[in-house]
Amino acid sequence: MKTQNWKELELPLSDSVLKTIEKFGFPYMTPVQAASIPLLLKGKDVAAEAVTGSGKTIAFLVPLLEILQKRNEKWKPIEIGAIIISPTRELAIQINEVLQKFLDNIPDLKQVLLVGGTTIAEDADRLKAGANIIVATPGRLEDMLSNCKSINLTAYVKSLEVLILDEADRLLDLGFSATLDTILSYLPRLRRTGLFSATQTKELQQLIRAGLRNPAVITVKEKPNISTPTNLINNYVIVNAEYKLSIMIDFIQRKGINLKYMIFLSTCACVDYFSHVAQTMLPTIQVFAIHGKMKNKRYKVFNDFRSIESGILICTDVMARGIDISEVDWVLQYDPPCSASSFVHRCGRTARIGNEGNALLFLLKTEDAYVEFIKRNQKVDLQQIVLEPSIISYKKCLTCMRNLQKQDRSLFDKANRAFVSYVQAYNKHECNLILRLKDIDLGKLAMGFGLLRMPRMPELKGKDMSNFQEEDTDINSITYSDKQKEKSRLEKLKIFRDTGVWPKAQKRKCKQTEPWSENKKKKMEKQENRKKRKEKKLKQKMSENSTKKRKKKMNEQDIKDLAKDIALIKKLKKKKISQEEFDTAFGTD
């Protein structure tokens, strides 16, 4: 990956930037850095596509800082010269940390991180304390521009020199298209814009055309037609549904508990459940869990995992993009990702910046076509490895999962939710032409989750469950370790035994939570409808005013004509005019 030295650039870098780069220990630029930095420094807009882990963050931070430092006028305490937009909090915080290392040597510039988790008023206070660079997630930045009355941020972005959209395709995948349009409407057009991503999409091409002026499109790949780093070894293994967990646990123990693993699962409920199981099965290794519903807890868990030398992070695709965790030895994809591009991003959490890495995809026997799909769609070749299941390990995992559920009913609930969410997510998979729910033995799948009994759900109707072995235990005897929850359950159980009907949960008065993108979409629709209603009312009012004016004009003319007629009649009576003259003037001749 070696290219030219940092000091060999046509446009020389400042000493403050070079000092920080030396601290990072990267004597040579990566291909994406060598391609994009000179163009941005010359004032070009750039749309860069490069494999994950190729140093894109440095590729946009270096020219951004150089441009801000070379401005003739000194930056005011509150004057925004650059904005960096990132799809997730974790990635924004990570970019902010790297930026801070540069700014330690550039005291004249200040940065502010806007990612939510705090009130708008608190963010406004931090902006008032001084800001020249904003690192933000799109939702919070839009709020600050549109809804914050305590600080007029729109006035402070008029001097904007650089806008960076990091993981631009992911911004669009998460439904931020309308939000980005709103943000762009507040920003000056005479700016340098950089779009950085590991994959290109049709939506991204539309954004390039809309937001960039004659951009230079850069595609950097280490080898033609390869989407992942060359020092990343991609593997897959074919397993039976019931043995999947035990094979993975055996694999980790065999490779070594002194390594760093990231395990990707398809749903938040699966992460909640299997993180407990993994910690019980592997008591000597630290197990962390992250998913999208954790919100404020996510960064603490993420930071803890980054700081340790070995451990396991079990997560959803919320951790698949741009996150830089040093020395991840293995990425284990327990489930095929919901989209083909997510496969590449998951793998990219290892083998970063020239380091070696390994990835392993677990596939069921009915999912073997996914290997060819990834090869054609993402240009990734997967090598098959064979891992034989151990009956002893399988029984040990099954016993562990079922014992955990018997000890605490909350784990019983988690197991059922995990299974239900997995089946529902699988049924809606992007690749449902080759990954079909009807091909899976759901009985064996339920054994792989260690269920005590099959849950009731529409997807199971009419399915063969003969391979599921139900545990011989009284489900109602399993108690919650939480005394308050257990008390509530016993009260409901008493009503059920007396009436034969389980009491329905009372509807909460609070609003039902929904995805941010859906909430935003509804909000935009309401605003659009309100705008249409206002325009309609305005048109009606204008039409009414026009009619009134016409009527008023008609009334005035009628009065004048009537006055003339009366004057003629008086003249005729006084014999001032003849009958012939009257008839001619009156129009009756």
Side-chain angles (χ1 to χ4, degrees):
M1 290 181 69
K2 287 184 180 181
T3 55
Q4 67 190 96
N5 189 289
W6 287 97
K7 294 179 181 178
E8 295 172 0
L9 274 170
E10 183 183 340
L11 298 171
L13 301 179
S14 61
D15 291 339
S16 56
V17 169
L18 286 172
K19 276 182 186 177
T20 310
I21 292 169
E22 285 174 11
K23 286 181 182 177
F24 283 124
F26 302 141
Y28 294 93
M29 286 183 280
T30 64
V32 68
Q33 292 163 358
S36 57
I37 289 173
L39 290 170
L40 283 167
L41 288 174
K42 289 176 183 176
K44 296 277 187 182
D45 285 351
V46 170
E49 176 193 3
V51 295
T52 185
S54 56
K56 292 191 288 292
T57 303
I58 301 294
F60 61 73
L61 284 182
V62 167
L64 178 152
L65 293 169
E66 289 295 326
I67 290 165
L68 297 192
Q69 287 185 94
K70 287 175 182 175
R71 194 175 84 149
N72 294 329
E73 297 176 42
K74 188 178 179 182
W75 290 97
K76 296 174 185 175
I78 315 177
E79 187 180 15
I80 309 303
I83 294 175
I84 303 166
I85 302 176
S86 162
T88 65
R89 286 185 189 184
E90 288 78 16
L91 185 51
I93 291 168
Q94 184 176 284
I95 293 167
N96 193 61
E97 288 175 353
V98 178
L99 175 60
Q100 183 58 60
K101 290 177 181 176
F102 280 99
L103 295 188
D104 288 342
N105 295 316
I106 311 172
D108 295 337
L109 296 176
K110 294 182 180 179
Q111 91 228 54
V112 166
L113 178 68
L114 305 175
V115 294
T118 56
T119 64
I120 288 180
E122 288 172 330
D123 284 342
D125 289 341
R126 289 192 294 114
L127 283 166
K128 289 174 186 176
N132 307 115
I133 304 168
I134 290 176
V135 182
T137 49
R140 178 44 61 101
L141 181 58
E142 184 194 20
D143 274 347
M144 296 302 296
L145 287 166
S146 305
N147 304 322
C148 184
K149 295 178 181 178
S150 61
I151 185 169
N152 186 11
L153 186 56
T154 56
Y156 297 125
V157 298
K158 288 181 179 179
S159 302
L160 190 79
E161 293 274 354
V162 184
L163 170 67
I164 300 294
L165 301 181
D166 192 26
E167 298 293 343
D169 58 330
R170 182 62 171 163
L171 287 167
L172 299 173
D173 287 345
L174 290 174
F176 287 121
S177 182
T179 303
L180 289 175
D181 290 341
T182 304
I183 291 168
L184 291 172
S185 69
Y186 286 104
L187 306 182
R189 292 194 175 186
L190 291 175
R191 62 172 191 265
R192 297 166 183 84
T193 305
L195 271 65
F196 288 80
S197 177
T199 53
Q200 294 279 2
T201 62
K202 290 180 182 178
E203 292 82 2
L204 189 57
Q205 292 297 328
Q206 291 170 3
L207 184 62
I208 290 170
R209 286 195 292 271
L212 279 70
R213 295 171 291 111
N214 192 24
V217 179
I218 298 168
T219 302
V220 179
K221 293 183 179 179
E222 293 168 41
K223 286 188 178 180
N225 301 322
I226 293 180
S227 307
T228 55
T230 52
N231 51 346
L232 170 62
I233 301 171
N234 280 295
N235 308 283
Y236 75 97
V237 60
I238 302 294
V239 297
N240 287 331
E242 70 271 36
Y243 297 130
K244 189 194 274 192
L245 180 65
S246 61
I247 287 175
M248 186 182 73
I249 296 294
D250 284 347
F251 178 82
I252 292 171
Q253 288 175 328
R254 188 162 60 253
K255 289 295 176 181
I257 60 172
N258 58 332
L259 303 179
K260 233 172 182 176
Y261 300 87
M262 287 185 73
I263 303 173
F264 285 95
L265 278 72
S266 56
T267 71
C268 300
C270 286
V271 170
D272 269 341
Y273 174 57
F274 282 111
S275 59
H276 282 88
V277 176
Q279 186 64 84
T280 307
M281 293 296 301
L282 299 165
T284 58
I285 188 169
Q286 282 185 279
V287 177
F288 300 86
I290 287 183
H291 56 71
K293 292 180 180 177
M294 291 174 70
K295 299 198 175 180
N296 294 338
K297 293 180 183 178
R298 270 169 29 196
Y299 185 67
K300 184 183 183 308
V301 176
F302 165 64
N303 216 25
D304 288 345
F305 182 67
R306 284 174 69 186
S307 63
I308 62 170
E309 292 184 4
S310 62
I312 297 172
L313 177 63
I314 300 178
C315 55
T316 57
D317 284 338
V318 74
M319 297 297 290
R321 292 286 188 123
I323 301 301
D324 188 19
I325 301 174
S326 61
E327 297 173 0
V328 171
D329 299 284
W330 279 91
V331 167
L332 306 179
Q333 302 197 51
Y334 196 73
D335 307 312
C338 61
S339 67
S341 61
S342 292
F343 176 90
V344 172
H345 292 292
R346 283 180 173 187
C347 295
R349 296 318 94 214
T350 184
R352 298 183 69 78
I353 312 292
N355 295 321
E356 292 184 356
N358 302 276
L360 176 61
L361 172 66
F362 290 82
L363 295 173
L364 304 180
K365 287 183 177 179
T366 57
E367 298 171 340
D368 58 346
Y370 192 77
V371 176
E372 185 62 25
F373 169 75
I374 286 295
K375 183 177 180 179
R376 290 176 179 274
N377 191 287
Q378 294 295 317
K379 311 293 188 295
V380 178
D381 283 313
L382 298 173
Q383 301 175 17
Q384 184 174 7
I385 61 174
V386 178
L387 299 175
E388 293 294 337
S390 165
I391 300 299
I392 296 172
S393 295
Y394 164 66
K395 287 183 177 179
K396 188 178 177 182
C397 280
L398 182 62
T399 302
C400 172
M401 289 187 281
R402 288 184 163 175
N403 284 343
L404 281 171
Q405 294 174 63
K406 291 175 190 176
Q407 290 164 13
D408 185 356
R409 194 175 187 87
S410 66
L411 266 297
F412 171 76
D413 293 341
K414 287 179 189 291
N416 283 279
R417 278 198 292 268
F419 179 80
V420 170
S421 68
Y422 178 88
V423 170
Q424 290 174 342
Y426 200 93
N427 208 23
K428 297 174 184 176
H429 203 287
E430 185 187 79
C431 309
N432 55 17
L433 290 175
I434 56 173
L435 304 180
R436 301 181 301 181
L437 185 65
K438 66 179 183 179
D439 294 335
I440 296 179
D441 187 323
L442 294 174
K444 289 183 177 180
L445 182 68
M447 294 298 289
F449 279 73
L451 300 188
L452 299 176
R453 68 174 184 187
M454 291 298 292
R456 294 179 182 178
M457 56 188 300
E459 289 84 355
L460 304 185
K461 286 183 179 178
K463 303 291 184 183
D464 178 17
M465 300 296 167
S466 58
N467 286 317
F468 177 69
Q469 298 170 15
E470 190 170 304
E471 180 81 348
D472 185 17
T473 186
D474 180 10
I475 299 300
N476 290 327
S477 67
I478 301 173
T479 61
Y480 286 109
S481 58
D482 185 321
K483 291 180 180 179
Q484 191 62 37
K485 286 182 76 174
E486 179 57 20
K487 183 183 175 183
S488 175
R489 186 188 76 87
L490 290 174
E491 288 171 358
K492 291 176 182 178
L493 184 60
K494 186 177 183 302
I495 295 170
F496 172 72
R497 283 172 174 163
D498 291 342
T499 63
V501 179
W502 190 268
K504 292 182 180 179
Q506 291 183 352
K507 290 184 178 179
R508 292 183 180 179
K509 291 182 181 179
C510 61
K511 290 182 181 179
Q512 187 178 358
T513 58
E514 60 182 345
W516 187 92
S517 56
E518 288 296 320
N519 191 19
K520 185 66 186 173
K521 188 179 177 183
K522 287 179 182 178
K523 187 178 176 182
M524 295 297 291
E525 286 175 355
K526 283 182 181 178
Q527 288 177 351
E528 189 64 30
N529 291 334
R530 201 180 296 122
K531 187 179 176 183
K532 286 179 180 177
R533 285 197 297 271
K534 281 185 179 178
E535 288 175 354
K536 190 177 179 181
K537 282 182 181 179
L538 185 62
K539 284 181 181 177
Q540 286 177 345
K541 196 171 182 180
M542 290 173 67
S543 178
E544 287 171 3
N545 289 340
S546 179
T547 305
K548 284 179 182 177
K549 284 180 181 178
R550 285 199 301 271
K551 284 182 179 179
K552 189 176 179 182
K553 284 181 180 178
M554 288 172 66
N555 291 338
E556 288 174 356
Q557 190 61 43
D558 289 345
I559 291 168
K560 286 179 182 179
D561 290 344
L562 183 62
K564 283 182 181 179
D565 292 344
I566 292 169
L568 284 170
I569 291 169
K570 284 181 179 180
K571 283 182 180 181
L572 181 63
K573 282 184 178 180
K574 291 179 181 180
K575 295 183 180 180
K576 288 184 178 182
I577 59 173
S578 66
Q579 183 68 44
E580 289 179 0
E581 288 173 330
F582 174 79
D583 291 340
T584 302
F586 208 72
T588 57
D589 186 11

